[in-house]
Amino acid sequence: MAEETNKTVLNASIAPENFDWEAFEGGDVYGGTDKGSIEEAYNKTLSKVVENEVVEGEVTAINKREVIVTIGGKSEGVISAPEFRYNPDLKVGDKVEVFVESAEDKKGQLVISHKKARALKSWDRVNEAYESGEIVKGFVKTRTKGGMIVDVFGIEAFLPGSQIDIKPIRDYDVFVNQTIDFKIVKINQEFRNVVVSHKALLEAEQEQKRSELIGKLEKGQVLEGTVKNITNYGVFVDLGGVDGLIHITDLSWGRINHPEEVVTLDEKIKVVVLDFNEQQKRIALGLKQLAAHPWDSLDKDLTVGDKVKGKVVLIADYGAFVEIGPGVEGLIHVSEMSWSPRLHSAQEFLKVGDEVEAQILTLDREARKMSLGLKQLTSNPWESIREKYPVGSTQKATVRNITNFGVFAELEDGVEGLVHISDLSWNKIKHPSEVVAAGDSIEVQILDFDEANHKLSLGHKQILPNPWDQLEAKYPVGSVVNATVAAATDKGANITLEDGAEAFCFSRDLVKEDGKTAVAGETLPFKVVELRRSTRRILLSHTRTYAEAKEAKAAAEVDTTKKAVKKINSNIEKTTLGDIDALAALKNKLEKGE
């Protein structure tokens, strides 16, 4: 009884002198209660505050500006009320998660944040969903450059425009304020960026549908679909979650420039399965195959030689394709467009949209090919070419093309001839453009024919007087004329005569009497040394105009001296000694030229 009384006293307020220190130090009994139980009960009344961790707390007070949260014991922190804006129903007693930023600040206050706790928890949740491939729900908040901003677990993620849907998006705004399923496709841990995709989910779903559909497909099977997208090369058709492609060549039997000429967006159409690839999951569709081929309904009586009318639908360098009916085309080769040999490209004669009449040259119904001709509907001018344009006659022609070796001149449509550069001018020229230009009307003389190859030789200089007939009469070899030095060359200088004719003088023949060489612009007397019609060349010399005169004078003086000496010699025998001396002196003077 005394022992029980003593234990009871220990559980109450005990005077220090009566405290059982031995029992306390032994740890076996303390006031009738195990020491460990007492310590556990004590620890529960305290909260261990660990910084930079997320702990659970309880809301103890709320006002307009702040929310007071306790995390155990007397550890309370103040959180700004806007951090709970997402939860308007928050009330005292609610459990919330907070992030411990600091056990105490300068004022001894616990610093906690609910926003950071949510962000850390959301980040962990996002990483978990990314690693597991989980499909998450996100709220599309707003549109931004290149895509959308999506709220996923409280974190703002980016949804690129290309990842919104499989088909092209025409209006992004319809997705704003919508909650949609997404897959997290990329996370940047350093910058904490998250990229999501809705398209990835659709592709996975479509892939499953595609596999199921392809497993049931058969070539020639007719299906109904909706035009999903139109491109330059074809049309994509939605067959019920799976897309197939109609190439532009399989849209119509006729030739078209763009698929929009046949179908419109969102239009429901029937298509036929042309081919499919189970490995690549590709489906080739056709639209024109559901209609009869136009060649099958072509007039049975149509044959070679018949005339047909049509419209030019395509131009190539080698010819033009003419549609004489929907899906029925014929080729007019460039050589069958005109009798003119000058036509080298179909673009020179026809253009797309032209309405033409042509003759059927060949017709192969099995191969579905037809060749046409235009020139066959007009008479061939070469059949009577010699009668219409006899050799030697002078005709009017139009310069159509200029080359280095001559010009092509057209007498009439389909009749064209060549004027060789040597037959353009009596003067020597370097290029035909020095004489004529494209489009000029000139007179020509018919020189020769080649009916088989439709070739005609023409001449232009033949209808003009030959200037060399006049030059030979006006500047005979040996005559002296006044002329002007025009321009110096490596070997001499070009000389311009009074009537504008050109001549040449070698450098050695340009030396003047004073020893200087004549320069451009000087007008001097020149002697005609040579005049050749074959090479159209006139050679002059200034030096000879004065050198030959000196030579003639010197020759005359020599001749006079010889005559005087001869006379003296004949009279020597008749003279006296004194006369001989006088004659000898005279002879000496004559020999000296005095």
Side-chain angles (χ1 to χ4, degrees):
M1 187 70 178
E3 185 179 0
E4 292 178 359
T5 303
N6 186 40
K7 289 179 180 180
T8 303
V9 171
L10 287 173
N11 287 330
S13 297
I14 302 174
E17 62 273 14
N18 297 326
F19 186 77
D20 189 349
W21 290 99
E22 292 181 1
F24 175 74
E25 291 175 357
D28 295 330
V29 178
Y30 183 71
T33 305
D34 184 81
K35 180 181 178 182
S37 300
I38 295 174
E39 288 179 350
E40 182 179 356
Y42 178 74
N43 288 336
K44 286 182 179 180
T45 63
L46 299 176
S47 175
K48 294 182 179 179
V49 178
V50 181
E51 294 183 354
N52 299 324
E53 284 193 4
V54 177
V55 298
E56 187 177 67
E58 181 180 344
V59 178
T60 58
I62 301 175
N63 58 45
K64 292 183 178 180
R65 297 179 58 187
E66 300 172 334
V67 175
I68 309 300
V69 177
T70 178
I71 59 173
K74 295 183 179 180
S75 298
E76 289 183 341
V78 179
I79 299 175
S80 176
E83 290 192 24
F84 294 95
R85 186 178 298 164
Y86 74 97
N87 186 7
D89 300 325
L90 184 69
K91 59 184 181 298
V92 174
D94 285 352
K95 300 293 185 180
V96 295
E97 289 184 331
V98 295
F99 176 77
V100 180
E101 297 187 48
S102 176
E104 65 177 312
D105 58 10
K106 294 181 180 180
K107 297 180 180 180
Q109 179 70 47
L110 176 68
V111 181
I112 57 178
S113 170
H114 176 60
K115 182 178 180 181
K116 289 185 179 181
R118 285 185 69 213
L120 287 173
K121 185 177 180 181
S122 297
W123 186 250
D124 292 339
R125 183 73 181 86
V126 164
N127 279 277
E128 181 184 343
Y130 175 64
E131 292 173 1
S132 64
E134 178 187 351
I135 297 174
V136 300
K137 288 190 177 294
F139 179 75
V140 181
K141 297 174 65 175
T142 183
R143 180 178 176 179
T144 188
K145 184 179 180 180
M148 318 285 282
I149 300 298
V150 180
D151 187 315
V152 179
F153 302 133
I155 291 179
E156 288 189 347
F158 178 62
L159 172 63
S162 61
Q163 296 298 314
I164 297 176
D165 205 336
I166 296 175
K167 60 185 179 182
I169 303 300
R170 296 173 222 170
D171 185 10
Y172 284 73
D173 294 331
V174 297
F175 294 93
V176 178
N177 297 327
Q178 299 290 325
T179 299
I180 306 174
D181 289 338
F182 295 100
K183 185 176 182 180
I184 300 172
V185 294
K186 186 178 180 181
I187 292 180
N188 187 315
Q189 300 290 347
E190 182 180 357
F191 298 101
R192 298 214 166 188
N193 294 333
V194 180
V195 180
V196 296
S197 171
H198 180 61
K199 179 181 178 180
L201 301 180
L202 298 178
E203 287 178 337
E205 182 182 352
Q206 188 184 50
E207 184 63 28
Q208 183 180 356
K209 290 182 180 180
R210 188 191 299 270
S211 299
E212 294 175 358
L213 180 62
I214 289 180
K216 301 175 183 178
L217 285 180
E218 294 180 4
K219 290 184 180 181
Q221 185 178 0
V222 178
L223 303 172
E224 187 176 49
T226 304
V227 177
K228 179 180 178 181
N229 190 24
I230 300 176
T231 67
N232 292 331
Y233 56 86
V235 176
F236 288 94
V237 179
D238 185 354
L239 301 174
V242 179
D243 291 346
L245 172 65
I246 308 175
H247 194 268
I248 187 172
T249 57
D250 291 312
L251 279 171
S252 172
W253 291 114
R255 195 181 297 270
I256 59 174
N257 296 317
H258 197 277
E260 289 178 345
E261 298 175 21
V262 181
V263 297
T264 57
L265 209 57
D266 298 327
E267 178 185 356
K268 291 189 178 297
I269 58 174
K270 286 188 177 182
V271 293
V272 61
V273 179
L274 301 180
D275 197 6
F276 56 90
N277 188 310
E278 293 188 18
Q279 285 73 31
Q280 297 180 350
K281 302 293 189 298
R282 292 180 179 177
I283 305 172
L285 304 174
L287 180 65
K288 71 180 184 181
Q289 288 78 4
L290 296 176
H293 199 290
W295 272 85
D296 297 335
S297 57
L298 188 65
D299 188 353
K300 304 283 186 187
D301 299 328
L302 206 61
T303 184
V304 173
D306 289 347
K307 297 178 182 178
V308 292
K309 291 183 178 181
K311 182 172 71 174
V312 178
V313 292
L314 180 66
I315 293 284
D317 288 338
Y318 56 85
F321 289 90
V322 177
E323 187 178 56
I324 64 173
V328 180
E329 295 179 3
L331 171 65
I332 305 177
H333 193 269
V334 65
S335 62
E336 305 298 338
M337 290 183 177
S338 172
W339 295 109
S340 173
R342 186 178 57 86
L343 197 63
H344 301 297
S345 175
Q347 288 92 336
E348 298 177 23
F349 200 82
L350 295 173
K351 62 180 182 297
V352 173
D354 283 351
E355 298 283 347
V356 298
E357 184 179 29
Q359 186 180 68
I360 299 177
L361 303 181
T362 62
L363 180 60
D364 188 340
R365 293 180 183 271
E366 290 184 4
R368 293 169 177 168
K369 291 183 178 180
M370 181 190 306
S371 63
L372 306 173
L374 287 180
K375 70 182 184 182
Q376 286 75 11
L377 300 182
T378 61
S379 59
N380 186 352
W382 287 89
E383 293 178 353
S384 57
I385 192 72
R386 285 189 178 270
E387 292 76 13
K388 193 171 183 179
Y389 302 107
V391 174
S393 64
T394 300
Q395 307 291 337
K396 287 279 188 180
T398 303
V399 177
R400 294 300 184 191
N401 190 25
I402 298 178
T403 67
N404 292 330
F405 55 85
V407 301
F408 289 92
E410 186 180 58
L411 298 176
E412 64 174 87
D413 187 25
V415 179
E416 192 175 272
L418 171 66
V419 183
H420 194 270
I421 187 171
S422 61
D423 291 316
L424 267 176
S425 174
W426 291 109
N427 295 322
K428 190 174 181 179
I429 58 174
K430 294 181 178 180
H431 195 273
S433 58
E434 298 175 23
V435 180
V436 294
D440 284 354
S441 178
I442 61 172
E443 283 189 327
V444 294
Q445 187 180 94
I446 309 298
L447 302 181
D448 197 8
F449 287 99
D450 183 356
E451 291 96 334
N453 297 310
H454 291 184
K455 291 183 178 179
L456 183 61
S457 295
L458 306 174
H460 176 61
K461 73 178 185 181
Q462 286 79 1
I463 63 174
L464 301 173
N466 190 340
W468 286 90
D469 294 338
Q470 299 176 0
L471 289 174
E472 287 178 344
K474 188 174 182 179
Y475 305 109
V477 175
S479 62
V480 177
V481 295
N482 286 325
T484 304
V485 180
T489 66
D490 294 338
K491 296 182 178 181
N494 293 322
I495 310 298
T496 303
L497 299 174
E498 294 175 347
D499 56 0
E502 292 185 354
F504 185 79
C505 180
F506 286 105
S507 298
R508 64 176 180 273
D509 292 316
L510 282 172
V511 179
K512 295 185 290 185
E513 196 170 358
D514 59 2
K516 296 181 180 179
T517 300
V519 296
E522 285 191 75
T523 299
L524 302 168
F526 287 89
K527 188 172 185 176
V528 179
V529 177
E530 182 181 309
L531 193 148
R532 290 186 186 177
R533 179 189 290 261
S534 59
T535 59
R536 299 185 181 90
R537 188 180 188 187
I538 302 176
L539 287 181
L540 304 177
S541 173
H542 170 66
T543 304
R544 291 193 183 187
T545 60
Y546 63 85
E548 291 180 355
K550 283 185 175 181
E551 291 174 359
K553 182 178 179 182
E557 290 178 350
V558 170
D559 186 57
T560 302
T561 302
K562 287 181 177 179
K563 289 179 179 179
V565 171
K566 185 178 180 181
K567 183 177 181 180
I568 291 172
N569 289 334
S570 63
N571 295 323
I572 287 178
E573 296 177 356
K574 300 178 181 179
T575 58
T576 62
L577 185 60
D579 293 333
I580 293 174
D581 291 338
L583 288 172
L586 177 62
K587 178 181 178 183
N588 188 41
K589 288 183 179 180
L590 289 173
E591 288 178 349
K592 291 181 180 180
E594 295 181 3

